[in-house]
Amino acid sequence: MRRFLPGEDLGAALDAAAAFARDGIGTVLTELGEQVTSAAEAAAVRDRYLGAFDRIGERALPAHVSVKLTHLGLDVDRAACLDHVLALAAQAAGRGSLLWIDMEESRYVDVTLDLFRRACALHDNVGVCLQSYLRRTAADLASLLPLAPAIRLVKGAYNEPPDVAFPKKRDVDGCYVMLADRLLQEAARGRARPVFGTHDVRLIAGIRERAVTLGAAPGAYEVHMLYGIRTAEQRALARTGVRVRVLISYGSHWFAWYMRRLAERPANVWFVLRNLV
Ligand code: FDA
């Protein structure tokens, strides 16, 4: 598993973040876990993330944090989950960092965007993930743009029915290009902070060309990839002046998390097997 996680504990993730920082690459830290079933568990997750921001601040690391709302008790108590998000956003602001909200299964999109909007009303250092495989995402993006939002665009990792998500990869990729274009147009005017969360190097090359055409400066967007995937490309991109961050997972729940990811989406099996081999 060391291929995908620098270690199980936060300390290992922070050490890895420091090493990336020396190479001019930022990081996003995330503790593995989701769908907690008690308020106490959710509060404990919040407290551990509050501590993570402290340690990021102490070490002056260029690190953000990304959370799953179901890990912060979304299924248990929505109001408390929003309070946790607000507490983390405030803590992030105090440490010069940013709080990202992951996007989970499609049944959570409405509530995730609702909490994101509420957090945005109070904090400007909160970002949310959108998934290009969802048929609804173009409309969601349009509705978020007035907020000049920080958006991490990904293809999407969960197993969704065809009426909800494009079944064909070609359509998912095409939608990604369309959404990326929209984000870049806004970024060129300083009205969005897009992050392209993908390892698809052809896609990234197209985005870079399009950014030049639209007059979006290299600093107007970032590319994020997962720890251990396309490592050489991460460094090569950073060397060319693109802002790159690596998402580092940590935590003891990696085995259950990994097995769920595999069960959810057959494509993820290849994802993992290719790397294990
Ligand atoms: P795609 O799957 O098309 O892969 C493109 C190419 O990249 C492949 O052909 C291969 O060459 C290479 N590649 C991809 N994965 C690889 C691997 N494991 N090993 C080696 N090569 C590989 N999803 C979600 O639903 N909600 C979320 O909040 C997030 N958050 C998130 C953050 C960040 C920073 C990233 C990078 C990704 C996510 N994702 C996510 C996951 C995302 O939805 C998607 O499942 C993966 O990124 C894989 O899709 P790609 O865009 O890389 O393209």
Side-chain angles (χ1 to χ4, degrees):
M1 282 320 292
R2 282 295 155 91
R3 171 84 164 72
F4 297 111
L5 307 183
E8 285 192 12
D9 63 347
L10 173 63
L14 292 165
D15 288 346
F20 279 112
R22 286 193 285 277
D23 292 335
I25 295 179
T27 40
V28 181
L29 307 185
T30 192
E31 184 188 300
L32 293 173
E34 60 201 321
Q35 292 176 349
V36 301
T37 52
S38 77
E41 276 178 281
V45 172
R46 175 205 58 203
D47 289 346
R48 288 198 297 276
Y49 275 130
L50 289 172
F53 279 119
D54 277 338
R55 295 182 63 187
I56 287 169
E58 282 157 21
R59 295 178 67 165
L61 292 171
H64 298 168
V65 163
S66 200
V67 296
K68 285 190 170 27
L69 293 184
T70 65
H71 200 202
L72 287 168
L74 184 65
D75 291 328
V76 183
D77 180 342
R78 283 188 184 183
C81 181
L82 174 61
D83 286 345
H84 296 336
V85 168
L86 296 179
L88 293 177
Q91 184 87 335
R95 307 296 178 279
S97 185
L98 198 139
L99 179 71
W100 285 100
I101 300 174
D102 285 2
M103 190 57 79
E104 301 176 66
E105 289 96 326
S106 58
R107 67 179 186 275
Y108 293 115
V109 174
D110 281 326
V111 64
T112 300
L113 296 184
D114 180 48
L115 262 69
F116 170 66
R117 285 191 179 91
R118 289 165 190 262
C120 273
L122 297 168
H123 298 281
D124 64 2
N125 64 325
V126 183
V128 73
C129 176
L130 292 182
Q131 300 150 321
S132 75
Y133 67 1
L134 293 185
R135 297 180 185 274
R136 60 175 288 171
T137 297
D140 287 334
L141 177 60
S143 77
L144 292 173
L145 285 178
L147 301 176
I151 303 258
R152 176 213 293 152
L153 185 61
V154 303
K155 292 186 186 176
Y158 299 88
N159 195 19
E160 300 286 355
D163 57 322
V164 170
F166 301 112
K168 293 199 177 111
K169 181 170 164 41
R170 192 180 57 224
D171 296 328
V172 176
D173 291 357
C175 186
Y176 195 107
V177 170
M178 186 266 290
L179 297 167
D181 203 81
R182 190 79 192 88
L183 277 164
L184 285 171
Q185 288 174 33
E186 296 298 315
R189 302 185 191 102
R191 295 202 303 235
R193 291 168 284 163
V195 160
F196 302 108
T198 181
H199 314 95
D200 189 333
V201 287
R202 262 197 16 216
L203 192 56
I204 294 169
I207 286 169
R208 293 181 69 189
E209 278 176 27
R210 192 70 185 130
V212 172
T213 309
L214 291 169
Y221 63 94
E222 297 188 3
V223 173
H224 293 188
M225 296 193 194
L226 303 181
Y227 178 89
I229 299 178
R230 297 266 194 204
T231 305
E233 282 83 355
Q234 293 168 11
R235 291 181 191 286
L237 271 175
R239 275 196 301 273
T240 62
V242 174
R243 288 194 182 174
V244 177
R245 281 182 192 272
V246 173
L247 189 139
I248 301 176
S249 302
Y250 61 93
S252 51
H253 290 311
W254 64 264
F255 187 74
W257 179 83
Y258 233 86
M259 288 302 138
R260 264 203 303 278
R261 289 290 86 77
L262 290 188
E264 270 162 4
R265 193 165 179 242
N268 289 348
V269 175
W270 289 112
F271 210 70
V272 173
L273 286 183
R274 198 166 42 213
N275 283 286
L276 288 179
V277 171

